[in-house]
Amino acid sequence: MSNQDIERLKNLLGTHVDFPQKGIVFKDIFPIFQDPTAVEAMVCNIVHHINSTYSEKIDAVVGLDARGFLLGPIIALRLGAAFVPVRKQGKLPGECVQATYVKEYGEDVFEMQKNALKEGHRVIVIDDLIATGGSAEAAGELIKKCNAKTVEYVFIIELDFLNGAKTLDAPVYSLIHL
């Protein structure tokens, strides 16, 4: 994406102070989704990045609950890959693998259906934002528990000052750095 496109996305972001609790400045990607050309630019950029970076096929895109569900299926479709949701505990039927994580304002448990990934699958993880890296790190744990491999973590926004990318076991690609 050009610097102009990145600035356009930044200008579309919503900001909510003290949400979901006091002291948090929440960056809202939903206003971007009100602009179809901005969404198409994000999708094209991410797909181009993945296709130009990795010569081997990506088998699955793992989207994190809940905003990873917005771009994840679109990216998976364009890559010819499966989409696999990672949800908060108790939201998925069947046998699941679990990972606990700490985020900037609490602790939570992620789950993924045990048979959603096959051994050796090459996986891209996608979410809206990386802060401390806790939720993405938990997704990486779930992928390992399924004997699959995280190839890259993709985010719309990265909060650089929290150094979350340094906690992850694969490269990180973020469109917007704040």
Side-chain angles (χ1 to χ4, degrees), residues 9-31:
L9 290 179
K10 281 183 182 179
N11 289 334
L12 288 170
L13 290 174
T15 301
H16 303 275
V17 177
D18 293 332
F19 180 84
Q21 70 184 40
K22 191 167 179 56
I24 302 293
V25 178
F26 185 86
K27 291 297 184 180
D28 185 6
I29 64 163
F30 286 145

Side-chain angles (χ1 to χ4, degrees), residues 89-148:
Q89 186 175 24
K91 301 289 185 180
L92 290 171
E95 191 176 353
C96 294
V97 290
Q98 292 185 338
T100 301
Y101 65 98
V102 177
K103 50 190 179 178
E104 63 272 22
Y105 45 86
E107 188 175 276
D108 221 331
V109 176
F110 262 165
E111 292 184 330
M112 180 171 57
Q113 290 173 316
K114 190 173 185 176
N115 62 355
L117 296 173
K118 307 294 182 242
E119 186 171 342
H121 266 179
R122 294 170 44 81
V123 179
I124 297 287
V125 174
I126 190 160
D127 202 7
D128 65 326
L129 180 137
I130 180 170
T132 63
S135 58
E137 188 175 12
E141 273 185 55
L142 295 174
I143 291 163
K144 281 181 190 167
K145 287 180 179 183
C146 292
N147 296 310

